[in-house]
PDB file of all heavy atoms in Angstrom:
ATOM      1  N   TRP A   1      -0.362  -9.488  -1.501  1.00  0.00           N
ATOM      2  CA  TRP A   1      -0.595 -10.667  -2.252  1.00  0.00           C
ATOM      3  C   TRP A   1       0.674 -10.945  -3.177  1.00  0.00           C
ATOM      4  O   TRP A   1       1.109  -9.997  -3.906  1.00  0.00           O
ATOM      5  CB  TRP A   1      -1.895 -10.670  -3.104  1.00  0.00           C
ATOM      6  CG  TRP A   1      -3.185 -10.643  -2.235  1.00  0.00           C
ATOM      7  CD1 TRP A   1      -3.171 -10.990  -0.924  1.00  0.00           C
ATOM      8  CD2 TRP A   1      -4.410 -10.378  -2.719  1.00  0.00           C
ATOM      9  NE1 TRP A   1      -4.481 -10.842  -0.520  1.00  0.00           N
ATOM     10  CE2 TRP A   1      -5.233 -10.549  -1.645  1.00  0.00           C
ATOM     11  CE3 TRP A   1      -4.918 -10.033  -3.936  1.00  0.00           C
ATOM     12  CZ2 TRP A   1      -6.571 -10.289  -1.684  1.00  0.00           C
ATOM     13  CZ3 TRP A   1      -6.223  -9.841  -3.988  1.00  0.00           C
ATOM     14  CH2 TRP A   1      -7.112  -9.944  -2.931  1.00  0.00           C
ATOM     15  N   PRO A   2       1.159 -12.137  -3.158  1.00  0.00           N
ATOM     16  CA  PRO A   2       2.449 -12.406  -3.989  1.00  0.00           C
ATOM     17  C   PRO A   2       2.331 -12.048  -5.433  1.00  0.00           C
ATOM     18  O   PRO A   2       3.229 -11.490  -6.102  1.00  0.00           O
ATOM     19  CB  PRO A   2       2.690 -13.828  -3.829  1.00  0.00           C
ATOM     20  CG  PRO A   2       1.840 -14.296  -2.671  1.00  0.00           C
ATOM     21  CD  PRO A   2       0.784 -13.352  -2.478  1.00  0.00           C
ATOM     22  N   PHE A   3       1.225 -12.354  -6.087  1.00  0.00           N
ATOM     23  CA  PHE A   3       1.063 -12.153  -7.566  1.00  0.00           C
ATOM     24  C   PHE A   3       0.742 -10.724  -7.917  1.00  0.00           C
ATOM     25  O   PHE A   3       0.877 -10.378  -9.129  1.00  0.00           O
ATOM     26  CB  PHE A   3       0.049 -13.133  -8.130  1.00  0.00           C
ATOM     27  CG  PHE A   3      -1.331 -13.028  -7.523  1.00  0.00           C
ATOM     28  CD1 PHE A   3      -2.296 -12.144  -8.061  1.00  0.00           C
ATOM     29  CD2 PHE A   3      -1.659 -13.772  -6.369  1.00  0.00           C
ATOM     30  CE1 PHE A   3      -3.533 -11.965  -7.579  1.00  0.00           C
ATOM     31  CE2 PHE A   3      -2.980 -13.612  -5.907  1.00  0.00           C
ATOM     32  CZ  PHE A   3      -3.918 -12.762  -6.514  1.00  0.00           C
ATOM     33  N   THR A   4       0.380  -9.790  -7.004  1.00  0.00           N
ATOM     34  CA  THR A   4       0.132  -8.428  -7.227  1.00  0.00           C
ATOM     35  C   THR A   4       1.188  -7.521  -6.641  1.00  0.00           C
ATOM     36  O   THR A   4       1.184  -6.303  -7.019  1.00  0.00           O
ATOM     37  CB  THR A   4      -1.258  -8.016  -6.851  1.00  0.00           C
ATOM     38  OG1 THR A   4      -1.452  -8.214  -5.454  1.00  0.00           O
ATOM     39  CG2 THR A   4      -2.374  -8.776  -7.694  1.00  0.00           C
ATOM     40  N   ALA A   5       1.984  -8.079  -5.729  1.00  0.00           N
ATOM     41  CA  ALA A   5       2.944  -7.258  -5.034  1.00  0.00           C
ATOM     42  C   ALA A   5       3.870  -6.494  -5.903  1.00  0.00           C
ATOM     43  O   ALA A   5       4.157  -5.282  -5.554  1.00  0.00           O
ATOM     44  CB  ALA A   5       3.701  -8.132  -4.045  1.00  0.00           C
ATOM     45  N   PRO A   6       4.367  -6.960  -7.043  1.00  0.00           N
ATOM     46  CA  PRO A   6       5.280  -6.143  -7.840  1.00  0.00           C
ATOM     47  C   PRO A   6       4.637  -4.817  -8.334  1.00  0.00           C
ATOM     48  O   PRO A   6       5.338  -3.847  -8.470  1.00  0.00           O
ATOM     49  CB  PRO A   6       5.638  -7.129  -9.025  1.00  0.00           C
ATOM     50  CG  PRO A   6       5.455  -8.449  -8.514  1.00  0.00           C
ATOM     51  CD  PRO A   6       4.278  -8.390  -7.470  1.00  0.00           C
ATOM     52  N   VAL A   7       3.359  -4.829  -8.503  1.00  0.00           N
ATOM     53  CA  VAL A   7       2.683  -3.605  -9.007  1.00  0.00           C
ATOM     54  C   VAL A   7       2.362  -2.685  -7.772  1.00  0.00           C
ATOM     55  O   VAL A   7       2.571  -1.478  -7.848  1.00  0.00           O
ATOM     56  CB  VAL A   7       1.428  -3.961  -9.758  1.00  0.00           C
ATOM     57  CG1 VAL A   7       0.625  -2.795 -10.145  1.00  0.00           C
ATOM     58  CG2 VAL A   7       1.699  -4.771 -10.961  1.00  0.00           C
ATOM     59  N   PHE A   8       1.725  -3.281  -6.703  1.00  0.00           N
ATOM     60  CA  PHE A   8       1.223  -2.408  -5.652  1.00  0.00           C
ATOM     61  C   PHE A   8       2.186  -2.146  -4.472  1.00  0.00           C
ATOM     62  O   PHE A   8       2.057  -1.195  -3.768  1.00  0.00           O
ATOM     63  CB  PHE A   8      -0.108  -3.023  -5.148  1.00  0.00           C
ATOM     64  CG  PHE A   8      -1.130  -2.993  -6.119  1.00  0.00           C
ATOM     65  CD1 PHE A   8      -1.435  -4.018  -6.952  1.00  0.00           C
ATOM     66  CD2 PHE A   8      -1.905  -1.697  -6.142  1.00  0.00           C
ATOM     67  CE1 PHE A   8      -2.520  -3.856  -7.928  1.00  0.00           C
ATOM     68  CE2 PHE A   8      -3.006  -1.574  -7.068  1.00  0.00           C
ATOM     69  CZ  PHE A   8      -3.269  -2.679  -7.899  1.00  0.00           C
ATOM     70  N   PHE A   9       3.195  -3.002  -4.253  1.00  0.00           N
ATOM     71  CA  PHE A   9       4.097  -2.822  -3.195  1.00  0.00           C
ATOM     72  C   PHE A   9       4.847  -1.593  -3.362  1.00  0.00           C
ATOM     73  O   PHE A   9       4.960  -0.833  -2.264  1.00  0.00           O
ATOM     74  CB  PHE A   9       5.164  -3.994  -3.114  1.00  0.00           C
ATOM     75  CG  PHE A   9       5.951  -3.956  -1.849  1.00  0.00           C
ATOM     76  CD1 PHE A   9       5.324  -4.151  -0.544  1.00  0.00           C
ATOM     77  CD2 PHE A   9       7.319  -3.630  -1.950  1.00  0.00           C
ATOM     78  CE1 PHE A   9       6.222  -4.075   0.502  1.00  0.00           C
ATOM     79  CE2 PHE A   9       8.169  -3.476  -0.863  1.00  0.00           C
ATOM     80  CZ  PHE A   9       7.514  -3.665   0.338  1.00  0.00           C
ATOM     81  N   PRO A  10       5.351  -1.141  -4.515  1.00  0.00           N
ATOM     82  CA  PRO A  10       6.003   0.175  -4.646  1.00  0.00           C
ATOM     83  C   PRO A  10       5.159   1.381  -4.226  1.00  0.00           C
ATOM     84  O   PRO A  10       5.601   2.437  -3.731  1.00  0.00           O
ATOM     85  CB  PRO A  10       6.338   0.280  -6.145  1.00  0.00           C
ATOM     86  CG  PRO A  10       6.447  -1.105  -6.580  1.00  0.00           C
ATOM     87  CD  PRO A  10       5.360  -1.801  -5.836  1.00  0.00           C
ATOM     88  N   ILE A  11       3.825   1.223  -4.435  1.00  0.00           N
ATOM     89  CA  ILE A  11       2.818   2.277  -4.027  1.00  0.00           C
ATOM     90  C   ILE A  11       2.822   2.417  -2.538  1.00  0.00           C
ATOM     91  O   ILE A  11       2.807   3.514  -2.016  1.00  0.00           O
ATOM     92  CB  ILE A  11       1.454   1.981  -4.624  1.00  0.00           C
ATOM     93  CG1 ILE A  11       1.479   2.038  -6.105  1.00  0.00           C
ATOM     94  CG2 ILE A  11       0.376   2.978  -3.980  1.00  0.00           C
ATOM     95  CD1 ILE A  11       0.220   1.609  -6.751  1.00  0.00           C
ATOM     96  N   THR A  12       2.779   1.267  -1.864  1.00  0.00           N
ATOM     97  CA  THR A  12       2.756   1.256  -0.401  1.00  0.00           C
ATOM     98  C   THR A  12       4.010   1.786   0.185  1.00  0.00           C
ATOM     99  O   THR A  12       3.993   2.270   1.284  1.00  0.00           O
ATOM    100  CB  THR A  12       2.280  -0.076   0.175  1.00  0.00           C
ATOM    101  OG1 THR A  12       3.286  -0.990  -0.230  1.00  0.00           O
ATOM    102  CG2 THR A  12       0.860  -0.506  -0.260  1.00  0.00           C
ATOM    103  N   GLU A  13       5.065   1.611  -0.496  1.00  0.00           N
ATOM    104  CA  GLU A  13       6.426   1.962   0.009  1.00  0.00           C
ATOM    105  C   GLU A  13       6.545   3.508  -0.185  1.00  0.00           C
ATOM    106  O   GLU A  13       7.063   4.138   0.623  1.00  0.00           O
ATOM    107  CB  GLU A  13       7.544   1.200  -0.656  1.00  0.00           C
ATOM    108  CG  GLU A  13       7.724  -0.186  -0.276  1.00  0.00           C
ATOM    109  CD  GLU A  13       8.133  -0.262   1.184  1.00  0.00           C
ATOM    110  OE1 GLU A  13       9.052   0.382   1.586  1.00  0.00           O
ATOM    111  OE2 GLU A  13       7.441  -1.079   1.899  1.00  0.00           O
ATOM    112  N   ALA A  14       5.985   3.983  -1.339  1.00  0.00           N
ATOM    113  CA  ALA A  14       6.045   5.272  -1.553  1.00  0.00           C
ATOM    114  C   ALA A  14       5.127   6.233  -0.665  1.00  0.00           C
ATOM    115  O   ALA A  14       5.359   7.454  -0.434  1.00  0.00           O
ATOM    116  CB  ALA A  14       5.735   5.697  -3.036  1.00  0.00           C
ATOM    117  N   ILE A  15       4.002   5.611  -0.252  1.00  0.00           N
ATOM    118  CA  ILE A  15       3.044   6.296   0.665  1.00  0.00           C
ATOM    119  C   ILE A  15       3.010   5.582   1.985  1.00  0.00           C
ATOM    120  O   ILE A  15       2.305   4.687   2.249  1.00  0.00           O
ATOM    121  CB  ILE A  15       1.578   6.178   0.015  1.00  0.00           C
ATOM    122  CG1 ILE A  15       1.625   6.727  -1.375  1.00  0.00           C
ATOM    123  CG2 ILE A  15       0.618   7.055   0.919  1.00  0.00           C
ATOM    124  CD1 ILE A  15       0.388   6.587  -2.108  1.00  0.00           C
ATOM    125  N   PRO A  16       3.904   5.843   2.876  1.00  0.00           N
ATOM    126  CA  PRO A  16       3.898   5.169   4.215  1.00  0.00           C
ATOM    127  C   PRO A  16       2.621   5.633   5.031  1.00  0.00           C
ATOM    128  O   PRO A  16       2.209   6.738   4.964  1.00  0.00           O
ATOM    129  CB  PRO A  16       5.259   5.690   4.909  1.00  0.00           C
ATOM    130  CG  PRO A  16       5.503   6.985   4.286  1.00  0.00           C
ATOM    131  CD  PRO A  16       4.982   6.850   2.803  1.00  0.00           C
ATOM    132  N   GLY A  17       2.136   4.736   5.711  1.00  0.00           N
ATOM    133  CA  GLY A  17       1.069   5.023   6.627  1.00  0.00           C
ATOM    134  C   GLY A  17      -0.280   4.927   5.946  1.00  0.00           C
ATOM    135  O   GLY A  17      -1.236   5.703   6.418  1.00  0.00           O
ATOM    136  N   ILE A  18      -0.468   4.077   5.051  1.00  0.00           N
ATOM    137  CA  ILE A  18      -1.763   4.006   4.333  1.00  0.00           C
ATOM    138  C   ILE A  18      -2.858   3.621   5.463  1.00  0.00           C
ATOM    139  O   ILE A  18      -3.931   4.250   5.396  1.00  0.00           O
ATOM    140  CB  ILE A  18      -1.732   2.947   3.249  1.00  0.00           C
ATOM    141  CG1 ILE A  18      -1.038   3.568   2.019  1.00  0.00           C
ATOM    142  CG2 ILE A  18      -3.129   2.461   2.854  1.00  0.00           C
ATOM    143  CD1 ILE A  18      -0.878   2.727   0.818  1.00  0.00           C
ATOM    144  N   PRO A  19      -2.612   2.767   6.453  1.00  0.00           N
ATOM    145  CA  PRO A  19      -3.557   2.473   7.431  1.00  0.00           C
ATOM    146  C   PRO A  19      -4.092   3.739   8.205  1.00  0.00           C
ATOM    147  O   PRO A  19      -5.173   3.900   8.466  1.00  0.00           O
ATOM    148  CB  PRO A  19      -3.000   1.440   8.299  1.00  0.00           C
ATOM    149  CG  PRO A  19      -1.979   0.825   7.557  1.00  0.00           C
ATOM    150  CD  PRO A  19      -1.488   1.860   6.615  1.00  0.00           C
ATOM    151  N   GLU A  20      -3.064   4.664   8.398  1.00  0.00           N
ATOM    152  CA  GLU A  20      -3.360   5.837   9.089  1.00  0.00           C
ATOM    153  C   GLU A  20      -4.246   6.779   8.359  1.00  0.00           C
ATOM    154  O   GLU A  20      -5.139   7.449   8.763  1.00  0.00           O
ATOM    155  CB  GLU A  20      -2.017   6.720   9.611  1.00  0.00           C
ATOM    156  CG  GLU A  20      -1.259   6.057  10.705  1.00  0.00           C
ATOM    157  CD  GLU A  20      -0.371   4.901  10.320  1.00  0.00           C
ATOM    158  OE1 GLU A  20      -0.195   4.578   9.116  1.00  0.00           O
ATOM    159  OE2 GLU A  20       0.208   4.213  11.183  1.00  0.00           O
ATOM    160  N   TYR A  21      -3.973   6.920   7.029  1.00  0.00           N
ATOM    161  CA  TYR A  21      -4.731   7.657   6.129  1.00  0.00           C
ATOM    162  C   TYR A  21      -6.169   7.119   6.093  1.00  0.00           C
ATOM    163  O   TYR A  21      -7.107   7.876   5.948  1.00  0.00           O
ATOM    164  CB  TYR A  21      -4.140   7.804   4.746  1.00  0.00           C
ATOM    165  CG  TYR A  21      -2.912   8.532   4.652  1.00  0.00           C
ATOM    166  CD1 TYR A  21      -1.753   8.037   4.116  1.00  0.00           C
ATOM    167  CD2 TYR A  21      -2.833   9.817   5.321  1.00  0.00           C
ATOM    168  CE1 TYR A  21      -0.443   8.846   4.095  1.00  0.00           C
ATOM    169  CE2 TYR A  21      -1.648  10.561   5.280  1.00  0.00           C
ATOM    170  CZ  TYR A  21      -0.490  10.032   4.661  1.00  0.00           C
ATOM    171  OH  TYR A  21       0.632  10.767   4.657  1.00  0.00           O
ATOM    172  N   ALA A  22      -6.312   5.820   6.074  1.00  0.00           N
ATOM    173  CA  ALA A  22      -7.639   5.211   6.087  1.00  0.00           C
ATOM    174  C   ALA A  22      -8.387   5.533   7.423  1.00  0.00           C
ATOM    175  O   ALA A  22      -9.569   5.931   7.412  1.00  0.00           O
ATOM    176  CB  ALA A  22      -7.487   3.708   5.888  1.00  0.00           C
ATOM    177  N   GLY A  23      -7.635   5.618   8.512  1.00  0.00           N
ATOM    178  CA  GLY A  23      -8.283   6.146   9.791  1.00  0.00           C
ATOM    179  C   GLY A  23      -8.641   7.583   9.769  1.00  0.00           C
ATOM    180  O   GLY A  23      -9.730   7.969  10.253  1.00  0.00           O
ATOM    181  N   TYR A  24      -7.727   8.471   9.116  1.00  0.00           N
ATOM    182  CA  TYR A  24      -8.245   9.884   8.944  1.00  0.00           C
ATOM    183  C   TYR A  24      -9.417   9.981   8.174  1.00  0.00           C
ATOM    184  O   TYR A  24     -10.356  10.803   8.472  1.00  0.00           O
ATOM    185  CB  TYR A  24      -7.108  10.670   8.344  1.00  0.00           C
ATOM    186  CG  TYR A  24      -5.771  10.636   9.127  1.00  0.00           C
ATOM    187  CD1 TYR A  24      -4.531  10.687   8.339  1.00  0.00           C
ATOM    188  CD2 TYR A  24      -5.538  10.363  10.428  1.00  0.00           C
ATOM    189  CE1 TYR A  24      -3.308  10.755   8.959  1.00  0.00           C
ATOM    190  CE2 TYR A  24      -4.339  10.313  11.131  1.00  0.00           C
ATOM    191  CZ  TYR A  24      -3.197  10.427  10.378  1.00  0.00           C
ATOM    192  OH  TYR A  24      -1.980  10.409  10.930  1.00  0.00           O
ATOM    193  N   ALA A  25      -9.483   9.205   7.053  1.00  0.00           N
ATOM    194  CA  ALA A  25     -10.629   9.295   6.179  1.00  0.00           C
ATOM    195  C   ALA A  25     -11.867   8.807   6.885  1.00  0.00           C
ATOM    196  O   ALA A  25     -13.032   9.210   6.691  1.00  0.00           O
ATOM    197  CB  ALA A  25     -10.438   8.502   4.929  1.00  0.00           C
TER     198      ALA A  25
END
C-alpha cells in the first residue's frame, strides 16, 4: 500500500520470501 510502504517495505526487503514462510507456517 502506498501510504504504508515506507514503513513496511524495508521489512519485506530484509526478509525475502515472506510468502514461503507463510506456507511453511
Side-chain angles (χ1 to χ4, degrees):
W1 293 347
F3 58 91
T4 58
V7 175
F8 289 96
F9 188 72
I11 294 172
T12 59
E13 286 296 310
I15 308 171
I18 286 181
E20 285 83 7
Y21 292 127
Y24 303 151

